[in-house]
């Protein structure tokens, strides 16, 4: 019985760790998308207009 409780506890701990990692990755992806969008927008607005079309 103690072995079953230990196995269940280990599975719950593993799932909670994986959930925390995925939650961090979701936040990191959101922040990265915002930063990437800002860099693209800034580069489009600050580019030399005379080079467009060449």
């Amino acid at each position: 019985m103690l072995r079953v409780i230990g196995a269940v506890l280990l599975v719950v701990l593993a799932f909670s760790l994986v959930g925390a990692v995925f939650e961090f990755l979701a936040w990191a992806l959101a922040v990265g998308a915002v930063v990437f969008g800002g860099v693209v927008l800034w580069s489009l607005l600050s580019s030399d207009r005379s080079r467009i079309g060449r």
Side-chain angles (χ1 to χ4, degrees):
M1 183 67 180
L2 194 57
R3 186 175 285 177
V4 173
I5 293 173
V8 169
L9 185 63
L10 192 65
V11 168
V12 168
L13 184 65
F15 275 128
S16 64
L17 184 64
V18 168
V21 168
F22 278 128
E23 185 176 350
F24 169 75
L25 287 178
W27 277 106
L29 180 66
V31 170
V34 168
V35 169
F36 180 74
V39 168
V40 168
L41 185 64
W42 181 71
S43 66
L44 285 175
L45 293 176
S46 66
S47 66
D48 188 12
R49 299 281 183 205
S50 63
R51 291 190 298 171
I52 297 176
R54 287 188 186 179

